[in-house]
Amino acid sequence: MNQDKIKEILMDIETTQLEFSVTFTGKESKKVNGLYKPDTCEILLHNKNFKADNQLIYTAIHEYTHHLLNEEKLEQSGGIKPSYNRVHTNEFWAKFHALLQVAEQKGYYVIGLENSPELAQLTEEIRKNYLESNGRLMQEFGQLLAKAHKLCQEANIRYEDYIDRVLKLPRAAAKSITKVSTANINPAMGFENMKLVVSLPKEKQQQAEQEILSGNSSPDSVRSMMKRKIQEVDARTKLEKEKKRLEKTIQQLTSRLEIVEESLANL
């Protein structure tokens, strides 16, 4: 697969109006597989790092994600060069995983578990015996912490001191574990994803749980999707409040106008 073909694939996954180039360096690198240069819009791929085109396409999509986000930021800033304090943000991973899904649908990329029956079997073992088991264990752990909290109160013991110096457990961790235990969610997603779900508003939790368990979305994608929906709700709420304020102001001004007109008529 050559450079032109890679660019063609990237453009078919998602179009861009910002011109970019794809270059095979012909080198092997132990540090990175690829690089994106936002100043020149260059995607550099260390093609000697890859044994298969599938691996090459994965990295190309990774670097292309940087390009697409660079394009968005340039549009938002009116062409002013944006600053990049962090490049691998939640926004990046959500976009990257969305592009990978498109690439899979179009047949350009596959994870390839079917090529390794042993890995597929191991994956099921990890999901069942570790992710799900750990999720259930942490639910039980949270229930015990809640019980310990109650017993501390009955014994006039500061629960915070008990957590800090007896259990030697970070308070934030104790809070997350307890919160997970109070929510009715499927432990099959694993504890980290359970924490993500319970951090969302209750009306969004079921949808997030389904997205994660379906296997169609990464945690970053779910987090980004829910964040956008919350922002959309917030924007609607703000507009509705502004509408009410304007309607009230118009009503007050209309009443005042009627008084002024009546006063003028009586002069």
PDB file of all heavy atoms in Angstrom, residues 140-163:
ATOM      1  N   GLU A 140     -19.750  -5.006  45.942  1.00  0.00           N
ATOM      2  CA  GLU A 140     -19.810  -5.537  47.301  1.00  0.00           C
ATOM      3  C   GLU A 140     -18.945  -4.701  48.240  1.00  0.00           C
ATOM      4  O   GLU A 140     -19.324  -4.437  49.395  1.00  0.00           O
ATOM      5  CB  GLU A 140     -19.345  -7.003  47.303  1.00  0.00           C
ATOM      6  CG  GLU A 140     -20.268  -7.935  46.538  1.00  0.00           C
ATOM      7  CD  GLU A 140     -19.662  -9.321  46.353  1.00  0.00           C
ATOM      8  OE1 GLU A 140     -18.573  -9.575  46.915  1.00  0.00           O
ATOM      9  OE2 GLU A 140     -20.271 -10.151  45.639  1.00  0.00           O
ATOM     10  N   PHE A 141     -17.774  -4.281  47.742  1.00  0.00           N
ATOM     11  CA  PHE A 141     -16.866  -3.434  48.514  1.00  0.00           C
ATOM     12  C   PHE A 141     -17.582  -2.140  48.921  1.00  0.00           C
ATOM     13  O   PHE A 141     -17.514  -1.693  50.067  1.00  0.00           O
ATOM     14  CB  PHE A 141     -15.626  -3.137  47.661  1.00  0.00           C
ATOM     15  CG  PHE A 141     -14.502  -2.438  48.382  1.00  0.00           C
ATOM     16  CD1 PHE A 141     -14.541  -2.193  49.748  1.00  0.00           C
ATOM     17  CD2 PHE A 141     -13.391  -2.014  47.668  1.00  0.00           C
ATOM     18  CE1 PHE A 141     -13.494  -1.548  50.399  1.00  0.00           C
ATOM     19  CE2 PHE A 141     -12.346  -1.367  48.302  1.00  0.00           C
ATOM     20  CZ  PHE A 141     -12.399  -1.129  49.666  1.00  0.00           C
ATOM     21  N   GLY A 142     -18.284  -1.538  47.970  1.00  0.00           N
ATOM     22  CA  GLY A 142     -19.002  -0.296  48.239  1.00  0.00           C
ATOM     23  C   GLY A 142     -20.082  -0.472  49.293  1.00  0.00           C
ATOM     24  O   GLY A 142     -20.298   0.404  50.141  1.00  0.00           O
ATOM     25  N   GLN A 143     -20.762  -1.621  49.249  1.00  0.00           N
ATOM     26  CA  GLN A 143     -21.794  -1.898  50.247  1.00  0.00           C
ATOM     27  C   GLN A 143     -21.188  -2.028  51.641  1.00  0.00           C
ATOM     28  O   GLN A 143     -21.764  -1.557  52.634  1.00  0.00           O
ATOM     29  CB  GLN A 143     -22.540  -3.178  49.861  1.00  0.00           C
ATOM     30  CG  GLN A 143     -23.378  -3.027  48.596  1.00  0.00           C
ATOM     31  CD  GLN A 143     -23.847  -4.354  48.028  1.00  0.00           C
ATOM     32  OE1 GLN A 143     -23.572  -5.415  48.603  1.00  0.00           O
ATOM     33  NE2 GLN A 143     -24.554  -4.317  46.910  1.00  0.00           N
ATOM     34  N   LEU A 144     -19.993  -2.626  51.715  1.00  0.00           N
ATOM     35  CA  LEU A 144     -19.306  -2.750  53.001  1.00  0.00           C
ATOM     36  C   LEU A 144     -18.841  -1.385  53.516  1.00  0.00           C
ATOM     37  O   LEU A 144     -18.895  -1.115  54.721  1.00  0.00           O
ATOM     38  CB  LEU A 144     -18.107  -3.697  52.863  1.00  0.00           C
ATOM     39  CG  LEU A 144     -18.440  -5.172  52.592  1.00  0.00           C
ATOM     40  CD1 LEU A 144     -17.163  -5.988  52.434  1.00  0.00           C
ATOM     41  CD2 LEU A 144     -19.283  -5.747  53.730  1.00  0.00           C
ATOM     42  N   LEU A 145     -18.392  -0.533  52.597  1.00  0.00           N
ATOM     43  CA  LEU A 145     -17.983   0.811  53.004  1.00  0.00           C
ATOM     44  C   LEU A 145     -19.176   1.605  53.540  1.00  0.00           C
ATOM     45  O   LEU A 145     -19.060   2.359  54.515  1.00  0.00           O
ATOM     46  CB  LEU A 145     -17.346   1.548  51.822  1.00  0.00           C
ATOM     47  CG  LEU A 145     -15.946   1.101  51.414  1.00  0.00           C
ATOM     48  CD1 LEU A 145     -15.486   1.870  50.173  1.00  0.00           C
ATOM     49  CD2 LEU A 145     -14.940   1.295  52.549  1.00  0.00           C
ATOM     50  N   ALA A 146     -20.329   1.444  52.902  1.00  0.00           N
ATOM     51  CA  ALA A 146     -21.539   2.118  53.371  1.00  0.00           C
ATOM     52  C   ALA A 146     -21.914   1.630  54.768  1.00  0.00           C
ATOM     53  O   ALA A 146     -22.318   2.425  55.638  1.00  0.00           O
ATOM     54  CB  ALA A 146     -22.685   1.873  52.397  1.00  0.00           C
ATOM     55  N   LYS A 147     -21.758   0.331  55.006  1.00  0.00           N
ATOM     56  CA  LYS A 147     -22.030  -0.234  56.328  1.00  0.00           C
ATOM     57  C   LYS A 147     -21.034   0.301  57.349  1.00  0.00           C
ATOM     58  O   LYS A 147     -21.404   0.639  58.484  1.00  0.00           O
ATOM     59  CB  LYS A 147     -21.964  -1.765  56.256  1.00  0.00           C
ATOM     60  CG  LYS A 147     -22.314  -2.452  57.564  1.00  0.00           C
ATOM     61  CD  LYS A 147     -22.290  -3.974  57.407  1.00  0.00           C
ATOM     62  CE  LYS A 147     -22.646  -4.651  58.733  1.00  0.00           C
ATOM     63  NZ  LYS A 147     -22.632  -6.135  58.594  1.00  0.00           N
ATOM     64  N   ALA A 148     -19.756   0.388  56.946  1.00  0.00           N
ATOM     65  CA  ALA A 148     -18.719   0.924  57.834  1.00  0.00           C
ATOM     66  C   ALA A 148     -19.018   2.378  58.191  1.00  0.00           C
ATOM     67  O   ALA A 148     -18.804   2.805  59.334  1.00  0.00           O
ATOM     68  CB  ALA A 148     -17.354   0.811  57.172  1.00  0.00           C
ATOM     69  N   HIS A 149     -19.520   3.138  57.219  1.00  0.00           N
ATOM     70  CA  HIS A 149     -19.887   4.538  57.459  1.00  0.00           C
ATOM     71  C   HIS A 149     -20.959   4.626  58.548  1.00  0.00           C
ATOM     72  O   HIS A 149     -20.863   5.453  59.471  1.00  0.00           O
ATOM     73  CB  HIS A 149     -20.395   5.156  56.160  1.00  0.00           C
ATOM     74  CG  HIS A 149     -20.574   6.640  56.232  1.00  0.00           C
ATOM     75  ND1 HIS A 149     -21.117   7.377  55.208  1.00  0.00           N
ATOM     76  CD2 HIS A 149     -20.300   7.533  57.227  1.00  0.00           C
ATOM     77  CE1 HIS A 149     -21.144   8.658  55.547  1.00  0.00           C
ATOM     78  NE2 HIS A 149     -20.659   8.776  56.774  1.00  0.00           N
ATOM     79  N   LYS A 150     -21.959   3.775  58.438  1.00  0.00           N
ATOM     80  CA  LYS A 150     -23.043   3.769  59.422  1.00  0.00           C
ATOM     81  C   LYS A 150     -22.523   3.394  60.805  1.00  0.00           C
ATOM     82  O   LYS A 150     -22.883   4.016  61.818  1.00  0.00           O
ATOM     83  CB  LYS A 150     -24.119   2.786  58.972  1.00  0.00           C
ATOM     84  CG  LYS A 150     -25.324   2.740  59.895  1.00  0.00           C
ATOM     85  CD  LYS A 150     -26.367   1.759  59.373  1.00  0.00           C
ATOM     86  CE  LYS A 150     -27.564   1.705  60.330  1.00  0.00           C
ATOM     87  NZ  LYS A 150     -28.588   0.716  59.858  1.00  0.00           N
ATOM     88  N   LEU A 151     -21.660   2.377  60.880  1.00  0.00           N
ATOM     89  CA  LEU A 151     -21.113   1.944  62.164  1.00  0.00           C
ATOM     90  C   LEU A 151     -20.217   3.019  62.777  1.00  0.00           C
ATOM     91  O   LEU A 151     -20.191   3.191  64.006  1.00  0.00           O
ATOM     92  CB  LEU A 151     -20.321   0.641  61.980  1.00  0.00           C
ATOM     93  CG  LEU A 151     -21.156  -0.602  61.624  1.00  0.00           C
ATOM     94  CD1 LEU A 151     -20.247  -1.789  61.324  1.00  0.00           C
ATOM     95  CD2 LEU A 151     -22.121  -0.934  62.760  1.00  0.00           C
ATOM     96  N   CYS A 152     -19.498   3.756  61.927  1.00  0.00           N
ATOM     97  CA  CYS A 152     -18.670   4.862  62.422  1.00  0.00           C
ATOM     98  C   CYS A 152     -19.544   5.933  63.073  1.00  0.00           C
ATOM     99  O   CYS A 152     -19.208   6.474  64.128  1.00  0.00           O
ATOM    100  CB  CYS A 152     -17.858   5.476  61.281  1.00  0.00           C
ATOM    101  SG  CYS A 152     -16.413   4.521  60.794  1.00  0.00           S
ATOM    102  N   GLN A 153     -20.669   6.236  62.440  1.00  0.00           N
ATOM    103  CA  GLN A 153     -21.580   7.233  62.982  1.00  0.00           C
ATOM    104  C   GLN A 153     -22.138   6.789  64.329  1.00  0.00           C
ATOM    105  O   GLN A 153     -22.238   7.578  65.275  1.00  0.00           O
ATOM    106  CB  GLN A 153     -22.714   7.497  61.998  1.00  0.00           C
ATOM    107  CG  GLN A 153     -22.288   8.251  60.739  1.00  0.00           C
ATOM    108  CD  GLN A 153     -23.435   8.439  59.764  1.00  0.00           C
ATOM    109  OE1 GLN A 153     -24.262   7.550  59.583  1.00  0.00           O
ATOM    110  NE2 GLN A 153     -23.477   9.604  59.125  1.00  0.00           N
ATOM    111  N   GLU A 154     -22.503   5.500  64.417  1.00  0.00           N
ATOM    112  CA  GLU A 154     -23.057   4.968  65.672  1.00  0.00           C
ATOM    113  C   GLU A 154     -22.031   4.972  66.788  1.00  0.00           C
ATOM    114  O   GLU A 154     -22.372   5.147  67.965  1.00  0.00           O
ATOM    115  CB  GLU A 154     -23.574   3.547  65.441  1.00  0.00           C
ATOM    116  CG  GLU A 154     -24.796   3.480  64.523  1.00  0.00           C
ATOM    117  CD  GLU A 154     -25.184   2.055  64.181  1.00  0.00           C
ATOM    118  OE1 GLU A 154     -24.455   1.117  64.579  1.00  0.00           O
ATOM    119  OE2 GLU A 154     -26.225   1.871  63.502  1.00  0.00           O
ATOM    120  N   ALA A 155     -20.756   4.801  66.445  1.00  0.00           N
ATOM    121  CA  ALA A 155     -19.685   4.759  67.440  1.00  0.00           C
ATOM    122  C   ALA A 155     -19.006   6.114  67.634  1.00  0.00           C
ATOM    123  O   ALA A 155     -17.986   6.213  68.323  1.00  0.00           O
ATOM    124  CB  ALA A 155     -18.648   3.716  67.028  1.00  0.00           C
ATOM    125  N   ASN A 156     -19.565   7.170  67.013  1.00  0.00           N
ATOM    126  CA  ASN A 156     -18.990   8.523  67.102  1.00  0.00           C
ATOM    127  C   ASN A 156     -17.532   8.566  66.612  1.00  0.00           C
ATOM    128  O   ASN A 156     -16.676   9.232  67.188  1.00  0.00           O
ATOM    129  CB  ASN A 156     -19.082   9.062  68.535  1.00  0.00           C
ATOM    130  CG  ASN A 156     -20.520   9.239  68.982  1.00  0.00           C
ATOM    131  OD1 ASN A 156     -21.364   9.685  68.204  1.00  0.00           O
ATOM    132  ND2 ASN A 156     -20.816   8.863  70.226  1.00  0.00           N
ATOM    133  N   ILE A 157     -17.286   7.819  65.534  1.00  0.00           N
ATOM    134  CA  ILE A 157     -15.962   7.787  64.908  1.00  0.00           C
ATOM    135  C   ILE A 157     -16.036   8.564  63.599  1.00  0.00           C
ATOM    136  O   ILE A 157     -16.991   8.424  62.840  1.00  0.00           O
ATOM    137  CB  ILE A 157     -15.530   6.329  64.632  1.00  0.00           C
ATOM    138  CG1 ILE A 157     -15.338   5.574  65.947  1.00  0.00           C
ATOM    139  CG2 ILE A 157     -14.255   6.285  63.788  1.00  0.00           C
ATOM    140  CD1 ILE A 157     -15.133   4.083  65.761  1.00  0.00           C
ATOM    141  N   ARG A 158     -15.023   9.397  63.354  1.00  0.00           N
ATOM    142  CA  ARG A 158     -14.995  10.130  62.088  1.00  0.00           C
ATOM    143  C   ARG A 158     -14.715   9.159  60.952  1.00  0.00           C
ATOM    144  O   ARG A 158     -13.648   8.542  60.899  1.00  0.00           O
ATOM    145  CB  ARG A 158     -13.917  11.217  62.112  1.00  0.00           C
ATOM    146  CG  ARG A 158     -14.249  12.412  62.969  1.00  0.00           C
ATOM    147  CD  ARG A 158     -15.448  13.166  62.456  1.00  0.00           C
ATOM    148  NE  ARG A 158     -15.302  13.605  61.082  1.00  0.00           N
ATOM    149  CZ  ARG A 158     -15.644  14.803  60.660  1.00  0.00           C
ATOM    150  NH1 ARG A 158     -16.142  15.689  61.486  1.00  0.00           N
ATOM    151  NH2 ARG A 158     -15.507  15.125  59.387  1.00  0.00           N
ATOM    152  N   TYR A 159     -15.675   9.038  60.042  1.00  0.00           N
ATOM    153  CA  TYR A 159     -15.525   8.107  58.915  1.00  0.00           C
ATOM    154  C   TYR A 159     -14.323   8.483  58.058  1.00  0.00           C
ATOM    155  O   TYR A 159     -13.603   7.606  57.565  1.00  0.00           O
ATOM    156  CB  TYR A 159     -16.807   8.133  58.078  1.00  0.00           C
ATOM    157  CG  TYR A 159     -16.767   7.262  56.848  1.00  0.00           C
ATOM    158  CD1 TYR A 159     -16.717   5.869  56.941  1.00  0.00           C
ATOM    159  CD2 TYR A 159     -16.785   7.828  55.570  1.00  0.00           C
ATOM    160  CE1 TYR A 159     -16.693   5.070  55.803  1.00  0.00           C
ATOM    161  CE2 TYR A 159     -16.772   7.032  54.428  1.00  0.00           C
ATOM    162  CZ  TYR A 159     -16.719   5.670  54.552  1.00  0.00           C
ATOM    163  OH  TYR A 159     -16.692   4.874  53.427  1.00  0.00           O
ATOM    164  N   GLU A 160     -14.075   9.801  57.897  1.00  0.00           N
ATOM    165  CA  GLU A 160     -12.938  10.253  57.087  1.00  0.00           C
ATOM    166  C   GLU A 160     -11.617   9.759  57.666  1.00  0.00           C
ATOM    167  O   GLU A 160     -10.719   9.333  56.932  1.00  0.00           O
ATOM    168  CB  GLU A 160     -12.930  11.783  56.998  1.00  0.00           C
ATOM    169  CG  GLU A 160     -14.114  12.378  56.261  1.00  0.00           C
ATOM    170  CD  GLU A 160     -15.326  12.576  57.143  1.00  0.00           C
ATOM    171  OE1 GLU A 160     -15.289  12.145  58.326  1.00  0.00           O
ATOM    172  OE2 GLU A 160     -16.308  13.158  56.654  1.00  0.00           O
ATOM    173  N   ASP A 161     -11.508   9.806  58.998  1.00  0.00           N
ATOM    174  CA  ASP A 161     -10.274   9.345  59.648  1.00  0.00           C
ATOM    175  C   ASP A 161     -10.139   7.832  59.510  1.00  0.00           C
ATOM    176  O   ASP A 161      -9.038   7.297  59.309  1.00  0.00           O
ATOM    177  CB  ASP A 161     -10.290   9.750  61.125  1.00  0.00           C
ATOM    178  CG  ASP A 161      -8.923   9.619  61.773  1.00  0.00           C
ATOM    179  OD1 ASP A 161      -7.904   9.648  61.033  1.00  0.00           O
ATOM    180  OD2 ASP A 161      -8.858   9.488  63.007  1.00  0.00           O
ATOM    181  N   TYR A 162     -11.278   7.151  59.589  1.00  0.00           N
ATOM    182  CA  TYR A 162     -11.289   5.697  59.415  1.00  0.00           C
ATOM    183  C   TYR A 162     -10.803   5.318  58.017  1.00  0.00           C
ATOM    184  O   TYR A 162      -9.977   4.409  57.846  1.00  0.00           O
ATOM    185  CB  TYR A 162     -12.710   5.184  59.660  1.00  0.00           C
ATOM    186  CG  TYR A 162     -12.923   3.732  59.314  1.00  0.00           C
ATOM    187  CD1 TYR A 162     -12.457   2.710  60.147  1.00  0.00           C
ATOM    188  CD2 TYR A 162     -13.611   3.366  58.154  1.00  0.00           C
ATOM    189  CE1 TYR A 162     -12.657   1.375  59.832  1.00  0.00           C
ATOM    190  CE2 TYR A 162     -13.820   2.035  57.831  1.00  0.00           C
ATOM    191  CZ  TYR A 162     -13.342   1.043  58.672  1.00  0.00           C
ATOM    192  OH  TYR A 162     -13.539  -0.278  58.359  1.00  0.00           O
ATOM    193  N   ILE A 163     -11.295   6.063  56.993  1.00  0.00           N
ATOM    194  CA  ILE A 163     -10.884   5.810  55.609  1.00  0.00           C
ATOM    195  C   ILE A 163      -9.403   6.133  55.429  1.00  0.00           C
ATOM    196  O   ILE A 163      -8.645   5.354  54.829  1.00  0.00           O
ATOM    197  CB  ILE A 163     -11.741   6.649  54.630  1.00  0.00           C
ATOM    198  CG1 ILE A 163     -13.177   6.119  54.565  1.00  0.00           C
ATOM    199  CG2 ILE A 163     -11.124   6.663  53.232  1.00  0.00           C
ATOM    200  CD1 ILE A 163     -13.312   4.753  53.953  1.00  0.00           C
TER     201      ILE A 163
END
